[in-house]
Structures are given as C-alpha cells and as structure tokens.
Amino acid sequence: MSALPDETKLLRNFARCQDWEERYLYMIELGGRLPELSEAQRVDANLIAGCQSQVWIDMQKQPDGHVALAGDSDAAIVKGLVAIVIILFQGKTPEQILAVDVKRFFQQLALEQHLTPSRTQGLNGMIKSILTRASQLI
C-alpha cells in the first residue's frame, strides 16, 4: 500500500487520465491505498449519514492542532471518494478545513457530473460531516 498523493498531485494525476474510465480506475486505486480502519474506528459515530454504501470517516485532532482523518467504505468507487476527501482535508487545522474552497476543488476534478446522484449525495454527506466535526473542534 502506497501513500496517498497530496492535493496538487491528485489534481495533476486526474488531468492525465484520458477518460472517465481511467479516472474511475484511479479512484479505485486511491481507495485501495487507504489504511485499514480499526474496529474502534468502525463505530456509529463515524458512519456517514446519507450514503447508500457504508462509509466511515474517523477524525481526530492531534496534539499539534492538526486533524488526522481515516476512512473506509464497502464500495470500491465510494472508497476512492473517501480517499479524495481525506486528501483534501488531511493534516489541516479545523480552521483551515472550514476555509477550504470545496466547490472549487471538486470543480477542478469535474467529478460531480460523472457521479450518480446517490454517490454525489454520499460525497456531500462526507464533506458536511467533516465540516461539522471541524467546527466542533475549534
């Protein structure tokens, strides 16, 4: 398992994909890079509402004030979306998370027009959950 790319490399790698089939394969690859969640992280408090698939995102504030995220899903493409969301927010402070221009980032990926409505709803649920938890950590 190799590490997830940073935000800049993710955008560059997405741009290099020839078509949406390659992008979906890349998303599945990213999901495969996520570390396994522990049973302690697979709790209802980390289960994301609004997702058709099961999605868990664990979010912990570190002693240095930055946030560590971990996640998983029972569906390959959704697990790739979890990885993308983690890349976007990983290692930021709660204040930085709340300041992220999420809409701009996902417009650059051009994801939403290629996701089913249920996956878009799940993606929005993941983002909303992280933003809500970040505001609670301030």
Side-chain angles (χ1 to χ4, degrees):
M1 174 180 63
S2 58
L4 292 173
D6 64 20
E7 187 179 329
T8 302
K9 189 170 184 179
L10 173 74
L11 290 168
R12 187 173 59 240
N13 290 346
F14 246 80
R16 287 182 180 156
C17 293
Q18 298 295 318
D19 55 29
W20 273 97
E21 185 175 339
E22 278 188 30
R23 287 183 179 102
Y24 282 128
L25 291 173
Y26 181 55
M27 287 171 45
I28 292 169
E29 176 191 325
L30 290 172
R33 294 182 190 185
L34 289 174
E36 291 291 319
L37 284 185
S38 69
E39 287 306 311
Q41 293 172 307
R42 288 180 184 272
V43 294
D44 287 346
N46 291 335
L47 199 58
I48 304 299
C51 293
Q52 196 169 29
S53 306
Q54 287 193 304
V55 175
W56 297 268
I57 296 180
D58 182 52
M59 185 171 168
Q60 300 293 324
K61 189 173 184 181
Q62 302 302 299
D64 68 358
H66 293 88
V67 171
L69 294 158
D72 196 9
S73 176
D74 61 352
I77 290 176
V78 176
K79 191 170 180 173
L81 290 173
V82 171
I84 290 170
V85 168
I86 287 173
I87 290 166
L88 180 60
F89 296 115
Q90 189 73 276
K92 292 178 170 58
T93 65
E95 294 84 2
Q96 289 169 328
I97 287 172
L98 294 173
V100 169
D101 188 347
V102 175
K103 186 172 183 160
R104 186 181 138 271
F105 176 75
F106 282 100
Q107 283 174 340
Q108 288 177 296
L109 290 177
L111 267 181
E112 287 197 2
Q113 66 251 30
H114 295 282
L115 295 177
T116 63
S118 64
R119 286 190 183 129
T120 299
Q121 180 180 337
L123 175 62
N124 291 333
M126 290 180 229
I127 293 165
K128 181 179 178 186
S129 175
I130 289 171
L131 294 175
T132 299
R133 290 194 234 175
S135 68
Q136 294 167 348
L137 291 174
I138 294 175

